[in-house]
Amino acid sequence: MKQIQFALEDLWKRKWLSLLLWLQCILLLFIANFVIENIKDLSNMKQEVNRLTKSEPIYYFYDLTTEKQLDQTLNQPKHLDDYKAIYKKIYEKKDSRAFSLYTTTYPFDLQYFEPNLRDVIVEGHQVYIDVLPFANASFYDFAQLKLSQGRYFHQDEIQTTKQPIPVVIGSGLAASLQVGSEFTSDEEHYRVIGILEENMSYINLAASKDFISLDYAILLPTPVLEDNTDYYALLSGTMIPTSNEQEIRDTMTFIQNQGHVSFVYRDLSKQMPYVMEDKKKWIQMQLMLTILISIFTLISITVSYLQFIRKYMFELGVHILTGATKNQIIFRLCSQLIILFALANSVVFMILHRFQISIMMTVISCMILWIVPIIRIRKMKIDQMLRRKS
């Protein structure tokens, strides 16, 4: 304990140099977390791609609608019935398994939610939360969702307009709402029937290469569609799992005959190789940059740490003259680095809410950074230490 006390005193005496070392340790831990999470993300994506390609084909709509078409139809109420007809053709026919990955943001009354929610926007008396307005059973299977409490939507709830509307919420909202809780927006009344497990997510390979978290999202069984824009947005995100490609062709023909939007259908499995290649290149570029930054950061920490030790070499020599052993001196020096990394870990944990990667990086960094000081203390004679008074 005496050596730890000396280590704390050493850090305080050179507080500005200690601050620099501490900031460098924080940077190193953040970089390590960033690299590992990217590698894990790529691994998870490969697993998700393999899962989706093993199932039956999933077709998605690729949007070729021009700005001219949208200008002519989206703001024309007379075309609303045509959009409704397309919607019914896809979603309301018997045995339809279509779902939409369209997401939007709804304003809910703030009084029902904790004031310090993450990943949401608060304005006045309202909180804006991401919503999947058509999270039916097909979406449940597609995303392989798991619930920690409650249940998912029943079939008779998918097209219902009864109040309160049943919803499933992400795990991050469970601090505010429980199964059975009710809350409102300006015009609607909702009741929570289920809560997702933590870290539930999905990936829209037709539009993105990143996983989309559902921790702070709300899933609805039925979209509220009021105008042409709502219908167009929902249709643009349509996914249809089916082995009957002719069914998709017939749907495309029906859409084209309406003349308001231009979609072509594509097999999601054909898109996956391009997404994977793009993801690999992106992660490889990130890894290259972060590894270079990590090397320079580690070198910078090493230089700063050795400079820190050099300033204390005379005091360490005096400490040995008063009865301390070299092992005690080494423990004193090593404790300085442990204290700095412990403080750095606390900052990283408060921001990222995880510590496994940081602890692992701390152990590796300390083992590397201790090598040179230990060798120097072992080989340096007492007279050499005393001649280094600054």
Side-chain angles (χ1 to χ4, degrees):
M1 290 299 296
K2 195 75 172 177
Q3 302 307 319
I4 295 176
Q5 181 182 343
F6 286 144
L8 287 169
E9 292 174 356
D10 293 342
L11 293 172
W12 182 251
K13 287 178 184 177
R14 297 286 190 273
K15 57 179 73 71
W16 293 113
L17 189 55
S18 300
L19 178 63
L20 176 61
L21 272 167
W22 178 60
L23 293 174
Q24 290 171 330
C25 291
I26 292 174
L27 176 61
L28 185 65
L29 295 181
F30 270 115
I31 291 172
N33 276 275
F34 180 75
V35 171
I36 299 300
E37 286 303 313
N38 271 284
I39 294 173
K40 287 169 61 178
D41 188 39
L42 180 60
S43 176
N44 292 337
M45 186 174 180
K46 287 180 179 178
Q47 293 177 9
E48 185 71 1
V49 166
N50 291 334
R51 180 181 70 83
L52 293 174
T53 52
K54 287 180 180 178
S55 62
E56 66 180 329
I58 300 175
Y59 296 96
Y60 69 95
F61 290 176
Y62 185 77
D63 194 358
L64 296 177
T65 308
T66 64
E67 291 290 337
K68 183 178 180 181
Q69 284 178 292
L70 293 178
D71 292 339
Q72 291 174 348
T73 61
L74 287 188
N75 298 320
Q76 299 294 327
K78 63 182 180 180
H79 297 307
L80 182 60
D81 288 339
D82 296 331
Y83 279 100
K84 287 182 178 179
I86 297 174
Y87 173 84
K88 291 179 179 179
K89 173 73 174 176
I90 297 171
Y91 289 100
E92 294 187 2
K93 68 179 181 180
K94 185 179 179 181
D95 300 328
S96 172
R97 297 173 59 201
F99 62 94
S100 178
L101 296 183
Y102 163 63
T103 59
T104 185
T105 303
Y106 282 6
F108 299 98
D109 293 333
L110 182 59
Q111 60 178 315
Y112 299 100
F113 298 88
E114 293 290 329
N116 297 320
L117 281 178
R118 295 171 52 205
D119 301 330
V120 299
I121 299 173
V122 176
E123 290 185 1
H125 298 291
Q126 292 182 317
V127 56
Y128 289 81
I129 300 177
D130 290 338
V131 171
L132 270 82
F134 205 122
N136 57 10
S138 293
F139 174 77
Y140 181 89
D141 294 335
F142 172 81
Q144 287 197 327
L145 299 181
K146 296 179 182 178
L147 276 70
S148 61
Q149 300 177 46
R151 62 174 178 84
Y152 208 66
F153 306 116
H154 291 156
Q155 186 59 39
D156 59 356
E157 294 171 326
I158 297 300
Q159 296 294 340
T160 186
T161 57
K162 295 180 181 179
Q163 300 277 340
I165 299 172
V167 300
V168 174
I169 63 173
S171 61
L173 300 176
S176 305
L177 303 168
Q178 303 298 322
V179 173
S181 298
E182 296 188 4
F183 60 103
T184 60
S185 62
D186 289 339
E187 301 176 352
E188 306 293 344
H189 185 196
Y190 306 92
R191 177 186 291 133
V192 178
I193 64 168
I195 300 175
L196 297 175
E197 288 187 0
E198 191 175 358
N199 297 324
M200 286 291 99
S201 63
Y202 70 96
I203 186 168
N204 183 1
L205 292 172
S208 172
K209 56 181 180 293
D210 299 315
F211 282 90
I212 301 170
S213 174
L214 295 173
D215 284 347
Y216 290 88
I218 294 178
L219 280 57
L220 301 181
T222 304
V224 179
L225 304 172
E226 298 178 347
D227 54 29
N228 298 354
T229 302
D230 292 337
Y231 280 97
Y232 172 72
L234 186 76
L235 293 170
S236 299
T238 295
M239 299 272 183
I240 305 177
T242 180
S243 299
N244 185 2
E245 189 174 353
Q246 185 59 47
E247 175 188 349
I248 306 298
R249 292 197 187 99
D250 295 341
T251 301
M252 286 295 105
T253 300
F254 182 83
I255 293 173
Q256 300 306 331
N257 289 339
Q258 298 294 325
H260 303 313
V261 291
S262 297
F263 293 136
V264 293
Y265 73 91
R266 291 183 177 177
D267 187 339
L268 194 62
S269 63
K270 304 291 178 60
Q271 176 72 5
M272 290 177 184
Y274 301 103
V275 176
M276 283 298 300
E277 186 63 28
D278 188 34
K279 183 74 172 180
K280 285 180 181 178
K281 288 181 179 179
W282 172 244
I283 290 181
Q284 286 171 356
M285 182 181 70
Q286 287 181 323
L287 286 176
M288 186 182 302
L289 290 174
T290 50
I291 287 172
L292 287 174
I293 294 172
S294 299
I295 292 172
F296 283 115
T297 303
L298 197 59
I299 292 173
S300 178
I301 293 175
T302 303
V303 172
S304 298
Y305 186 46
L306 292 177
Q307 183 182 3
F308 186 90
I309 293 173
R310 186 178 182 278
K311 290 181 180 294
Y312 278 97
M313 197 60 70
F314 177 79
E315 292 183 30
L316 296 177
V318 173
H319 194 185
I320 292 175
L321 285 178
T322 58
T325 65
K326 284 194 174 182
N327 286 338
Q328 290 175 322
I329 297 298
I330 290 171
F331 183 75
R332 175 178 170 178
L333 294 176
C334 293
S335 297
Q336 295 169 358
L337 203 57
I338 291 175
I339 292 169
L340 290 171
F341 268 108
L343 294 173
N345 271 279
S346 64
V347 173
V348 174
F349 178 75
M350 285 190 293
I351 296 174
L352 300 181
H353 302 283
R354 54 176 180 265
F355 61 88
Q356 293 91 339
I357 298 172
S358 298
I359 294 296
M360 179 182 68
M361 190 62 194
T362 296
V363 173
I364 295 172
S365 300
C366 285
M367 292 179 67
I368 294 173
L369 293 169
W370 285 338
I371 293 174
V372 176
I374 290 174
I375 293 174
R376 288 190 66 184
I377 296 297
R378 290 286 185 195
K379 290 186 175 183
M380 190 171 288
K381 296 178 181 179
I382 186 67
D383 59 325
Q384 291 177 306
M385 292 184 179
L386 296 175
R387 283 200 299 267
R388 289 187 176 270
K389 183 176 181 179
S390 55

